[in-house]
Amino acid sequence: MPASTAAPPFAAAAAGEGPGALLLAPFLQQPLFIHGVGAGAHVVLALAVAGRLLLRRCAGGRAGAKDGDGASPRPAASRCYGVAACATWALAAFHSLLAAYACYLGAGAGWSRDAAAELADAAARAVAWLLLAAYIQFGSGRRRGERFPPAPLRLWWALFLLLSVLAAAAHVATSLGGLPVPARSWALDAVSVVAAAVLLCAGFLGGRVAGGSAAEEPLLNGAHGAAVGSGRSAAEASKFTGAGFLSMLTFSWIGPLLAVGHKKTLGFDDVPGLDPGDSVAGLLPTFEANLEAVAGDVSGSRRKAVTAFKLTKALVRTVWWHVAVTAFYALVYNVSTYVGPYLIDSLVQYLNGDERYASKGQLLVLAFIVAKVFECLSQRHWFFRLQQAGIRARSALVAVVYQKGLALSSQSRQSRTSGEMINIISVDADRVGIFSWYMHDLWLVPLQVGMALFILYSTLGLASLAALGATVVVMLANVPPGQMQEKFQQKLMDCKDVRMKATSEILRNMRILKLQGWEMKFLSKIIELRKTETNWLKKYLYTSTLVTFVFWGAPTFVAVVTFGACMLMGIPLESGKVLSALATFRVLQEPIYNLPDTISMVIQTKVSLDRIASFLCLEELPTDAVQRLPSGSSDVAIEVRNGCFSWEASPQLLTLKDLNFQARQGMRVAVCGTVGSGKSSLLSCILGELPKLSGEVKICGTTAYVSQSAWIQSGKIQDNILFGMEMDNEKYERVLESCSLKKDLEILPFGDQTVIGERGINLSGGQKQRVQIARALYQEADIYLFDDPFSAVDAHTGSHLFKECLLGALASKTVVYVTHQIEFLPAADLILVMKDGRIAQAGKYNDILGSGEEFMELVGAHKDALMALDEIDAADGSNETSPSRGTAKLTKSLSSAEKKDKQDEGDNQSGQLVQEEEREKGKVGFWVYWKYLTLAYKGALVPLVLLAQILFQVLQIGSNYWMAWAAPVSKDVEPPVSMSTLIYVYIALAVGSSFCVLLRALFLVTASYKTATLLFNKMHMSIFRAPMSFFDSTPSGRILNRASTDQSEVDTSIAYQMGSVAFAIIQLVGIIAVMSQVAWQVFVVFIPVVAACFWYQRYYIDTARELQRLVGVCKAPIIQHFAESITGSTTIRSFGKENQFVSANSHLMDAYSRPKFYNAGAMEWLCFRLDVLSSLTFAFSLIFLINLPPGIIDPGIAGLAVTYGLNLNMLQAWVVWSMCNLENKIISVERILQYMSIREEPPLSMSEDKLAHDWPSQGEIQLHDLHVKYAPQLPFVLKGLTVTFPGGLKTGIVGRTGSGKSTLIQALFRIVDPTIGQILIDGVDICTIGLHDLRSRLSIIPQEPTMFEGTVRSNLDPLGEYTDNQIWEALDCCQLGDEVRKKELKLDSPVIENGENWSVGQRQLVCLGRVILKRGKILVLDEATASVDTATDNLIQKTLRQQFSEATVITIAHRITSVLDSDMVLLLDNGVAVERDTPARLLEDKSSLFSKLVAEYTMRSTHA
């Protein structure tokens, strides 16, 4: 554009042509004045900066010495510094381009006064900003003691903003006066105002950081000190933190990681650390402060004020910088995308030979390419920062939810199941993180629509109003489906919660389900729950089909309405205008296409935020329920006065009433009473766990607590005992000795380094309790609370523990212990006898012995139990010799030889039960895709989906081709068809393409739904049919992760992701076909570019795939740790270890964020390079087009090619991005398929003729040379047992903890199959019959009493095989009838998760009820009465004698009295049968191990 035509009005005004011109353009509005002031200001700036740099240079030596030890700026100051540097470099580049352009114009058309002023201004600006950029990058903000930015710089930025605004105002005034203003002047104004505003914000925020509080002073001075502290090592490890400007701009900082990933399979240690700002430690304090600010006080009341809106506000405040900077990038990106459509009409006119555009070809090409560069850069950084914000939001939310979970009160715990809580961190927090992708769409859509209308108005005039109307209609059409989706999404999540809760409970209790043969019944329950869930899923998916249809058809619909309006209004359609409109509709397609996703995501995120907010509103455990005094400040260790407590927090349902007692320092307090009398609740009230209604509780000193049901973390035994304390070898050895754990650790393959499975699965009940006691002892607390830990251990170990721990190690401590063993009571300084929630009696043993019936009842029952022993003792002979002694010696020599074997084995870490989670390595196999595609209807719908998309693409291109060909190039050209034909053909093609979209969406959803259902059913069938060893060695977090997160991906995303790969490739092929129509030469560039793209994609995917797998593997430990912490929250709080667990959670969260963050960086690294390559293709085709001689090519078709070419980089990136994303997502399918191929248990049933209907009729069990081990890599637990259990007789099995008693039972039920040897029942080898045939005919009362969520009826009779009368009869037999009759709903009384509204003793009685109902010929009692008092134990034994007089009963017991009335006793030691005879015979031999055990027990008891 010649300078003379560029601004004639400006020149006229300057020359003073007439008074009207002077009035319109007074002196201040003249270009000479505006450019003169601008140039003058920038010359002053350039001189000042140059002088400053020269002074620095002169004093370089000294400054260098000082600078050398300067620390980096603080993250916030550093951030402002980074923004200022980027903005200054951008301005320098922009002004340099402008100066070059002014020079080009002046040289072409002669130098007028205004042109010279413009060039001087542009040159001064370019030099000044280049110098300033260099000063900021290399000379400022990096020196010790200097603040950034300095005050003069802030002053200049303010002045620059003022100058820019004034210049823009002058141009607006000129324009309003009817005089044209050149486009470059508007561009200069826009860029200057935006950049000045950004710089000023950065300047003042930087200043505010610098002027922090006194506590921040060391950081301000840039000192190396503790203040910088922990962040430093992480920052040095992070590739991102130290990256330079160019490295940051091009994402080259991720290069070293990609190089490592390309050479070898990436491991977790190869992934660099996080930036301190992305770690939980850096985020949590800020987020908590923000949440506190918006939601009120942090105390109990604060949480009640959290709403979804307040939570959002706190999150936005926490990541405000990311929100602001991504908004800026989004703005730049969107403005850049509309440059192309705006200029297409000009390009078509240029190609048509229009005189007005004769010399503008190169300028047009330059504008297209510069816009593309800005579009690419801004989009990449926009997306990267969005993901970083998402990672931060997720980390902050999970950290806060975890802290809340640890602090929940008992009522809140009951109101939320663990499944719901797991979903909050695994699904809801994830969804909030993913929403970061969509957070700007809500304001971008109106902006994009506004810009589109501006372009349409400039090309089509008033018809753009029709386009606006059509766009509004399309958006409104989405409201009803959006509301439906919200409803369906909420229902879907609720159903998922219920299913996950049930799955979690079933996985926890899989052992009992397998033992009872109930697993298939419970699987059908899960399948039923899934059916309800999939009803909502189906509705959700089909609603999304409607949304997809509306929005894929939207651009076509808007185009039809707009062109129709042109026809009606008589606005001529020329090909340039049509193409400009079509290009605008294509760009408009992005906001319209994304809008359904955005609305759906807003809905889903709102649901998730509501769920998180309601969780944060739950009531916390009151911190003031117990008054805690510092150690040694009082003689009284525990005092409860006038205490009334209730688990329901209701005065009508009191759990403990009128509680008054006091324990002085060093006292031993015993608590006893019948089942359900309130013993455990008494300990809970001391810990502050039981809601207090009135009275006061005081404790003096620290507490340690040992729960009745052992809580063990998965991890090493040593870590469980240390529980976060430093290792003190001497103390550690002492504790192991006191808890008699040394022998057990010798037996375990890795000693105390053995990794314990989830919930201590590979330890026996007694071992778990002793690890718990060891943990408590190691803590050196002042007050110890024991909730009946002695029941789970054998008599000998129980005595040892009582003597060594309570009377020895804890002699000087205050100890409160609940016990059912009367023999432990005399040693107490105070005994509290509980009855119906009251202290019925209190005092020393002898004082209360005769003073009340409650205590007498317990003691009397104990004496009855000892009667049998006295009778045997009376008949005692003095026979000293016995074959058992030889056997014992034999066993000792055998075990020492085996011990050596174990040491050899111990070197091999694969001996651990819980292995690290398996992850596939290398490329995701084609078979995974094939399996997914062909699972539903054998893949029949796949070709139909592809065909529908190809037809859609063909019709789309056809309709656009038609418009480009049929519309005339300009007004003076005769159109080939009439206006009405043009529109009608276009409408027909548009309707056809929309119909194809609808079909495609329906086929895709149908295939997706069917595949998700099949994968779910097959995976769950495989899991439920897996052997017990799978559950022992697989933490439930891994299974739950697949059932929740991976299944969610399969339900809602993977089909769409696969579709989007296919659709993107089809669209890309379409674009290249259109572009090659115009210039086949484009293939010369396109083919190498595509080859380079795919090379980059392969190079990138090696790393990205492994990073995505690491993300999958790192997620399960977070879920597992959360689930464990929730279960053990009472223990964690009682030891005061909340901070330790919060820190462990933070560590796990950071481990999860690391691969996620670098995965995001790697994706943008790839996309940046793809954008550069596709921009090359586009630039080549543009340059080729404008250099063709006129008339060779139809301008309309050429314009169409450019219209499509504008989308080339986006689509090329979309193809590769979709492929990578699919490969990342398909890992969810891979992980599900992994669990579809687990080794199955043997068949559940064999053909009926093999087994008699009444088998086993005799109940005789024979073991032949039985060898059993839990896994091929583990040592034998049973070593050559050959024993016969006669039919109809009672056999007691005794032995120390860990001797193989429970393993023998598991072998009998085929939970573990014999490695060598066989088990015969009534002559039938149990390995030859079906598992259900076997297990349904055996009965067991397991060691750990289990109840499921449901009703009393469903717990006693899950399969629904018995009548109500039979159930009541069984309840009466097991002493629970009266208890259940008291309840309002009788048999339908609710049982909550884990049966936690029933005491452990009552749960044990329910298990007894189950076997009474079943009345099998063989009954196994696995320490069945460990959790009940002696009186209840006697009742149970009496019931069993009556109900099972004809049955074979095998009893494993720790109370010797439980096996004394057996017909036979088998004594196991270290997996070998050491002694087997009648109790009387074994007692006769004083040297037998059995008689020693009995002697130990009677010694304890006679002490009573």
Side-chain angles (χ1 to χ4, degrees):
M1 193 192 290
S4 54
T5 60
F10 276 39
E17 289 177 10
L22 281 173
L23 282 171
L24 281 169
F27 180 68
L28 291 179
Q29 277 175 244
Q30 290 183 31
L32 191 63
F33 174 76
I34 293 170
H35 290 311
V37 170
H42 282 85
V43 165
V44 172
L45 172 68
L47 290 170
V49 175
R52 182 80 169 145
L53 283 170
L54 279 170
L55 279 170
R56 279 275 164 93
R57 191 79 182 145
C58 295
R62 284 168 298 162
K66 286 180 189 171
D67 288 356
D69 57 352
S72 341
R74 294 182 59 201
S78 158
R79 198 177 291 153
C80 295
Y81 166 82
V83 170
C86 288
T88 316
W89 279 114
L91 272 173
F94 176 73
H95 286 305
S96 301
L97 277 172
L98 221 54
Y101 183 53
C103 194
Y104 164 73
L105 285 181
W111 294 98
S112 67
R113 190 176 58 173
D114 286 338
E118 186 182 0
L119 178 63
D121 184 22
R125 284 170 184 258
V127 171
W129 285 105
L130 277 167
L131 282 168
L132 187 58
Y135 169 71
I136 288 175
Q137 184 77 38
F138 309 113
S140 161
R142 295 293 173 103
R143 299 166 69 84
R144 182 188 279 276
E146 270 198 18
R147 292 182 178 184
F148 178 81
L153 202 49
R154 288 210 291 276
L155 187 64
W156 159 247
W157 287 341
L159 181 64
F160 177 54
L161 180 62
L162 184 65
L163 284 172
S164 305
V165 170
L166 287 173
H171 289 141
V172 169
T174 305
S175 183
L176 291 173
L179 299 174
V181 176
R184 61 183 178 280
S185 298
W186 288 121
L188 177 64
D189 291 340
V191 171
S192 298
V193 170
V194 170
V198 168
L199 286 168
L200 205 58
C201 288
F204 282 101
L205 287 169
R208 190 164 58 191
V209 168
S213 64
E216 295 171 343
E217 207 51 44
L219 291 172
L220 307 182
N221 299 331
H224 284 289
V228 180
S230 59
R232 276 186 62 82
S233 56
E236 282 159 10
S238 170
K239 298 265 182 243
F240 176 70
T241 310
F245 173 70
L246 274 176
S247 174
M248 201 71 99
L249 190 72
T250 59
F251 294 95
S252 302
W253 53 269
I254 198 85
L257 180 64
L258 291 165
V260 172
H262 186 60
K263 281 188 206 131
K264 62 168 197 151
T265 301
L266 212 61
F268 188 73
D269 293 338
D270 299 316
V271 182
L274 286 173
D275 181 80
D278 293 319
S279 66
V280 176
L283 282 168
L284 191 56
T286 319
F287 180 59
E288 284 188 314
N290 289 328
L291 195 58
E292 191 182 330
V294 295
D297 184 28
V298 183
S299 63
S301 61
R302 159 233 163 162
R303 299 294 188 185
K304 293 189 174 70
V306 180
T307 61
F309 175 71
K310 287 177 177 175
L311 195 57
T312 310
K313 204 167 157 188
L315 279 170
V316 169
R317 281 190 186 183
T318 307
V319 294
W320 70 267
W321 186 80
H322 285 78
V323 173
V325 83
T326 49
F328 174 69
Y329 288 141
L331 188 64
V332 172
Y333 169 74
N334 281 287
V335 171
S336 307
T337 53
Y338 281 96
V339 169
Y342 183 69
L343 294 177
I344 274 196
D345 192 17
S346 308
L347 184 68
V348 171
Q349 298 308 327
Y350 169 81
L351 293 172
N352 196 34
D354 192 321
E355 282 299 316
R356 290 172 302 163
Y357 298 95
S359 59
K360 291 187 184 168
Q362 283 87 353
L363 179 64
L364 280 168
V365 170
L366 184 68
F368 271 115
I369 293 169
V370 168
K372 267 283 163 244
V373 168
F374 273 104
E375 182 189 322
C376 297
L377 276 173
S378 55
Q379 189 184 29
R380 298 285 57 92
H381 286 275
W382 173 26
F383 284 2
F384 175 65
R385 293 297 185 177
L386 283 180
Q387 290 177 82
Q388 194 179 17
I391 288 169
R392 290 186 174 197
R394 187 186 187 283
S395 294
L397 283 174
V398 172
V400 166
V401 167
Y402 181 82
Q403 286 186 341
K404 181 74 183 182
L406 281 186
L408 287 183
S409 67
S410 58
Q411 274 181 299
S412 302
R413 274 294 315 282
Q414 285 187 14
S415 72
R416 292 297 167 102
T417 62
S418 54
E420 284 173 337
M421 292 191 235
I422 286 167
N423 264 353
I424 284 175
I425 63 161
S426 68
V427 178
D428 293 317
D430 257 6
R431 189 162 287 134
V432 176
I434 293 165
F435 179 72
S436 62
W437 281 101
Y438 301 85
M439 69 181 165
H440 294 303
D441 288 9
L442 295 172
W443 65 266
L444 281 175
V445 169
L447 174 78
Q448 288 164 320
V449 171
M451 287 194 293
L453 288 173
F454 168 73
I455 293 171
L456 290 172
Y457 183 73
S458 67
T459 50
L460 300 177
L462 286 173
S464 60
L465 293 174
L468 174 64
T471 307
V472 170
V473 166
V474 166
M475 289 179 175
L476 288 176
N478 194 45
V479 173
Q483 289 171 334
M484 284 157 70
Q485 269 191 306
E486 177 172 21
K487 180 181 143 197
F488 298 151
Q489 174 70 24
Q490 179 67 59
K491 298 280 188 190
L492 184 64
M493 288 308 296
D494 291 345
C495 292
K496 188 172 179 178
D497 277 348
V498 174
R499 172 174 66 81
M500 287 309 296
K501 171 178 149 191
T503 309
S504 172
E505 183 176 45
I506 287 168
L507 291 177
R508 260 200 316 276
N509 301 309
M510 188 54 87
R511 184 175 299 278
I512 182 72
L513 295 182
K514 294 266 185 202
L515 288 168
Q516 301 280 11
W518 291 344
E519 70 267 42
M520 287 299 118
K521 171 71 179 174
F522 278 78
L523 172 60
S524 65
K525 184 178 164 186
I526 294 287
I527 299 291
E528 279 305 311
L529 290 172
R530 171 68 180 176
K531 272 185 189 159
T532 317
E533 185 185 340
T534 49
N535 283 339
W536 293 112
L537 177 66
K538 195 189 279 186
K539 288 174 183 169
Y540 178 78
L541 289 173
Y542 281 105
T543 314
S544 70
T545 304
L546 193 61
V547 172
T548 307
F549 167 64
V550 169
F551 283 95
W552 270 86
T556 320
F557 173 71
V558 175
V560 165
V561 171
T562 310
F563 295 148
C566 288
M567 184 176 82
L568 295 173
M569 292 175 179
I571 299 168
L573 287 174
E574 297 157 23
S575 59
K577 289 180 176 178
V578 166
L579 289 170
S580 180
L582 285 175
T584 306
F585 297 143
R586 281 183 77 81
V587 178
L588 193 60
Q589 185 184 6
E590 193 188 344
I592 287 183
Y593 176 63
N594 285 340
L595 192 64
D597 275 355
T598 305
I599 290 170
S600 160
M601 203 62 206
V602 167
I603 290 160
Q604 292 179 31
T605 309
K606 167 79 167 58
V607 169
S608 290
L609 282 166
D610 282 334
R611 285 155 56 88
I612 295 170
S614 73
F615 180 73
L616 293 177
C617 290
L618 291 177
E619 187 190 5
E620 291 184 15
L621 205 65
T623 47
D624 56 353
V626 176
Q627 195 180 334
R628 296 177 190 276
L629 305 172
S631 300
S633 59
S634 165
D635 288 345
V636 178
I638 306 167
E639 184 173 19
V640 182
R641 275 194 293 195
N642 305 321
C644 285
F645 304 85
S646 166
W647 284 116
E648 311 293 328
S650 149
Q652 282 74 45
L653 298 164
L654 288 176
T655 309
L656 297 175
K657 310 171 260 257
D658 312 325
L659 222 57
N660 284 287
F661 78 92
Q662 193 181 71
R664 297 193 164 278
Q665 294 286 0
M667 267 177 84
R668 277 191 295 278
V669 180
V671 183
C672 59
T674 54
V675 171
S677 59
K679 302 183 295 298
S680 297
S681 298
L682 178 71
L683 296 190
S684 296
C685 87
I686 295 170
L687 288 169
E689 297 286 327
L690 178 53
K692 182 176 75 175
L693 301 181
S694 61
E696 62 176 317
V697 182
K698 280 186 200 169
I699 61 171
C700 175
T702 54
T703 51
Y705 169 64
V706 178
S707 55
Q708 187 171 9
S709 302
W711 177 74
I712 302 287
Q713 279 178 280
S714 43
K716 293 177 184 166
I717 292 178
Q718 186 187 77
D719 297 339
N720 266 285
I721 295 173
L722 297 181
F723 208 45
M725 301 270 283
E726 287 295 315
M727 168 58 102
D728 174 343
N729 283 318
E730 196 182 323
K731 180 162 84 167
Y732 183 72
E733 290 300 321
R734 211 167 49 238
V735 165
L736 291 182
E737 191 59 56
S738 300
C739 299
S740 60
L741 274 169
K742 284 207 160 167
K743 199 167 174 190
D744 299 277
L745 294 181
E746 282 169 15
I747 294 169
L748 289 168
F750 297 96
D752 63 359
Q753 297 303 303
T754 302
V755 175
I756 301 175
E758 199 173 6
R759 302 184 312 281
I761 204 95
N762 46 339
L763 296 181
S764 71
Q767 286 169 328
K768 281 189 272 190
Q769 278 296 8
R770 281 180 290 133
V771 168
Q772 271 212 120
I773 295 169
R775 175 172 65 204
L777 254 60
Y778 196 84
Q779 297 302 306
E780 293 284 354
D782 300 310
I783 299 168
Y784 283 81
L785 305 173
F786 290 96
D787 194 353
D788 196 18
F790 309 115
S791 297
V793 296
D794 56 74
H796 169 75
T797 313
S799 302
H800 178 86
L801 286 174
F802 188 76
K803 206 179 295 169
E804 294 296 323
C805 298
L806 269 73
L807 305 181
L810 303 178
S812 60
K813 308 284 185 183
T814 310
V815 182
V816 180
Y817 59 100
V818 170
T819 185
H820 288 131
Q821 275 108 323
I822 303 297
E823 56 270 27
F824 293 145
L825 295 178
D829 301 313
L830 172 67
I831 299 171
L832 304 176
V833 183
M834 302 296 294
K835 185 163 187 186
D836 300 331
R838 284 192 171 85
I839 297 177
Q841 289 173 273
K844 286 202 165 205
Y845 184 80
N846 291 326
D847 300 343
I848 60 170
L849 196 51
S851 64
E853 61 184 50
E854 291 83 5
F855 191 55
M856 282 305 293
E857 198 178 304
L858 293 170
V859 175
H862 177 62
K863 287 191 170 152
D864 291 346
L866 285 171
M867 292 275 285
L869 193 59
D870 294 338
E871 285 163 20
I872 293 168
D873 279 344
D876 189 10
S878 57
N879 188 357
E880 287 296 314
T881 58
S882 165
S884 64
R885 294 177 72 184
T887 321
K889 282 174 187 161
L890 172 71
T891 310
K892 276 178 190 160
S893 60
L894 181 72
S895 63
S896 63
E898 276 178 355
K899 230 172 270 173
K900 188 173 181 305
D901 286 346
K902 279 184 200 105
Q903 282 162 3
D904 300 338
E905 240 176 72
D907 300 334
N908 176 7
Q909 196 60 27
S910 69
Q912 295 284 21
L913 175 70
V914 181
Q915 302 290 332
E916 196 177 314
E917 181 166 8
E918 67 298 333
R919 64 180 175 107
E920 303 287 341
K921 291 193 167 53
K923 188 177 177 184
V924 176
F926 174 72
W927 68 274
V928 176
Y929 297 92
W930 184 250
K931 184 95 177 162
Y932 181 81
L933 286 169
T934 55
L935 203 59
Y937 312 110
K938 296 194 174 151
L941 291 178
V942 177
L944 295 175
V945 171
L946 293 175
L947 182 65
Q949 177 64 22
I950 291 166
L951 276 173
F952 165 74
Q953 196 60 35
V954 168
L955 291 170
Q956 273 275 321
I957 291 173
S959 63
N960 292 345
Y961 228 99
W962 167 256
M963 291 302 280
W965 173 81
V969 177
S970 59
K971 290 179 215 166
D972 12 313
V973 178
E974 183 65 31
V977 294
S978 69
M979 184 81 148
S980 54
T981 310
L982 177 80
I983 298 298
Y984 291 144
V985 171
Y986 185 73
I987 288 174
L989 291 168
V991 169
S993 70
S994 300
F995 181 66
C996 288
V997 167
L998 182 61
L999 278 179
R1000 186 205 77 193
L1002 284 170
F1003 287 145
L1004 189 67
V1005 161
T1006 308
S1008 159
Y1009 171 76
K1010 181 74 175 169
T1011 308
T1013 307
L1014 287 170
L1015 280 173
F1016 179 90
N1017 292 347
K1018 289 186 173 192
M1019 176 175 78
H1020 279 71
M1021 173 57 90
S1022 178
I1023 288 170
F1024 276 69
R1025 287 288 291 113
M1028 201 58 222
S1029 58
F1030 168 75
F1031 299 97
D1032 290 348
S1033 60
T1034 308
S1036 62
R1038 290 182 195 170
I1039 304 172
L1040 291 173
N1041 206 2
R1042 282 165 174 83
S1044 66
T1045 314
D1046 292 328
Q1047 188 63 45
S1048 280
E1049 292 285 3
V1050 170
D1051 286 347
T1052 54
S1053 327
I1054 288 175
Y1056 285 109
Q1057 209 60 52
M1058 275 201 170
S1060 91
V1061 169
F1063 308 156
I1065 290 172
I1066 291 167
Q1067 281 188 288
L1068 184 64
V1069 170
I1071 285 188
I1072 294 304
V1074 172
M1075 287 178 79
S1076 60
Q1077 284 280 303
V1078 178
W1080 60 265
Q1081 291 86 346
V1082 86
F1083 278 107
V1084 174
V1085 177
F1086 180 71
I1087 289 167
V1089 161
V1090 164
C1093 283
F1094 280 99
W1095 180 85
Y1096 269 126
Q1097 194 255 351
R1098 295 324 308 163
Y1099 181 76
Y1100 151 86
I1101 200 69
D1102 292 333
T1103 303
R1105 188 193 307 115
E1106 297 312 320
L1107 285 171
Q1108 187 60 33
R1109 283 182 175 141
L1110 285 170
V1111 168
V1113 171
C1114 291
K1115 189 167 186 179
I1118 298 172
I1119 296 173
Q1120 191 186 335
H1121 183 252
F1122 182 70
E1124 277 187 350
S1125 304
I1126 294 298
T1127 313
S1129 55
T1130 304
T1131 305
I1132 294 167
R1133 287 194 291 255
S1134 64
F1135 283 96
K1137 296 284 179 183
E1138 294 96 330
N1139 289 346
Q1140 178 189 317
F1141 276 76
V1142 167
S1143 146
N1145 179 60
S1146 302
H1147 178 72
L1148 289 170
M1149 272 308 304
D1150 288 347
Y1152 173 71
S1153 298
R1154 264 165 65 190
K1156 215 169 171 57
F1157 173 81
Y1158 286 97
N1159 205 7
M1163 174 64 84
E1164 298 314 322
W1165 175 93
L1166 173 71
C1167 289
F1168 175 77
R1169 279 144 187 80
L1170 297 183
D1171 282 352
V1172 169
L1173 289 168
S1174 55
S1175 299
L1176 278 176
T1177 314
F1178 182 57
F1180 174 82
S1181 52
L1182 275 177
I1183 292 164
F1184 181 80
L1185 275 178
I1186 64 161
N1187 287 312
L1188 278 175
I1192 281 192
I1193 193 152
D1194 180 349
I1197 303 301
L1200 181 67
V1202 175
T1203 307
Y1204 273 99
L1206 283 171
N1207 277 8
L1208 181 65
N1209 72 308
M1210 188 180 88
L1211 211 67
Q1212 205 168 315
W1214 187 29
V1215 168
V1216 177
W1217 189 84
S1218 299
M1219 286 170 79
C1220 297
N1221 213 19
L1222 173 62
E1223 191 155 354
N1224 289 343
K1225 295 260 188 202
I1226 202 80
I1227 289 167
S1228 288
V1229 176
E1230 184 184 54
R1231 283 157 58 82
I1232 287 174
L1233 291 175
Q1234 219 176 42
Y1235 273 24
M1236 276 166 55
S1237 54
I1238 306 166
R1239 183 174 65 83
E1240 272 197 3
E1241 276 188 310
L1244 296 177
S1245 58
M1246 301 281 195
S1247 51
E1248 279 304 309
D1249 55 353
K1250 274 202 172 182
L1251 214 54
H1253 173 68
D1254 61 345
W1255 181 88
S1257 53
Q1258 305 300 314
E1260 182 182 65
I1261 303 169
Q1262 294 167 293
L1263 313 180
H1264 291 304
D1265 190 27
L1266 190 65
H1267 285 75
V1268 176
K1269 57 163 90 175
Y1270 280 103
Q1273 74 269 23
L1274 296 176
F1276 281 111
V1277 182
L1278 295 181
K1279 302 156 190 172
L1281 277 188
T1282 302
V1283 178
T1284 300
F1285 298 96
L1289 296 185
K1290 293 176 179 51
T1291 305
I1293 302 179
V1294 291
R1296 273 180 51 83
T1297 303
S1299 59
K1301 304 188 295 291
S1302 292
T1303 306
L1304 174 56
I1305 302 308
Q1306 295 196 57
L1308 185 60
F1309 280 81
R1310 287 187 67 193
I1311 295 294
V1312 191
D1313 271 341
T1315 314
I1316 304 170
Q1318 57 180 177
I1319 302 174
L1320 305 176
I1321 297 181
D1322 281 4
V1324 177
D1325 183 346
I1326 63 169
C1327 289
T1328 61
I1329 59 173
L1331 292 181
H1332 275 191
D1333 296 339
L1334 170 70
R1335 291 169 186 169
S1336 61
R1337 302 184 192 211
L1338 305 180
S1339 300
I1340 183 166
I1341 302 180
Q1343 187 172 356
E1344 290 181 7
T1346 306
M1347 285 176 81
F1348 303 95
E1349 188 171 8
T1351 61
V1352 173
R1353 179 190 278 106
S1354 70
N1355 265 284
L1356 282 162
D1357 179 24
L1359 307 182
E1361 296 173 329
Y1362 303 101
T1363 64
D1364 280 11
N1365 287 340
Q1366 287 173 305
I1367 293 172
W1368 278 116
E1369 196 182 316
L1371 281 171
D1372 288 332
C1373 285
C1374 65
Q1375 312 300 318
L1376 271 178
D1378 295 341
E1379 185 67 36
V1380 176
R1381 283 189 185 91
K1382 275 186 214 163
K1383 297 188 182 286
E1384 194 183 331
L1385 296 172
K1386 308 286 191 287
L1387 289 179
D1388 293 318
S1389 301
V1391 176
I1392 65 166
E1393 196 177 10
N1394 293 337
E1396 280 174 11
N1397 54 345
W1398 297 71
S1399 77
V1400 179
Q1402 287 168 327
R1403 281 181 244 167
Q1404 194 67 282
L1405 294 174
V1406 168
C1407 295
L1408 174 65
R1410 286 178 191 148
V1411 300
I1412 291 172
L1413 265 179
K1414 203 170 180 182
R1415 292 189 195 278
K1417 187 67 184 169
I1418 295 174
L1419 169 64
V1420 176
L1421 307 175
D1422 190 355
E1423 301 173 13
T1425 55
S1427 306
V1428 294
D1429 57 89
T1430 317
T1432 313
D1433 183 12
N1434 288 354
L1435 278 169
I1436 290 173
Q1437 296 298 341
K1438 190 174 161 193
T1439 308
L1440 291 174
R1441 277 196 290 274
Q1442 289 167 356
Q1443 302 291 331
F1444 295 93
S1445 53
E1446 302 297 312
T1448 306
V1449 180
I1450 297 174
T1451 308
I1452 293 178
H1454 289 150
R1455 289 189 182 138
I1456 296 299
T1457 50
S1458 303
V1459 294
L1460 281 177
D1461 67 342
S1462 303
D1463 302 307
M1464 195 69 71
V1465 169
L1466 171 69
L1467 195 142
L1468 291 179
D1469 186 27
N1470 199 14
V1472 177
V1474 184
E1475 298 171 351
R1476 180 182 171 277
D1477 214 328
T1478 61
R1481 284 216 194 112
L1482 286 172
L1483 283 172
E1484 281 170 14
D1485 177 6
K1486 291 299 175 193
S1487 65
S1488 74
L1489 292 177
F1490 182 69
S1491 63
K1492 285 175 184 169
L1493 273 176
V1494 173
E1496 180 73 45
Y1497 184 78
T1498 41
M1499 203 163 67
R1500 270 187 353 189
S1501 305
T1502 48
H1503 183 55

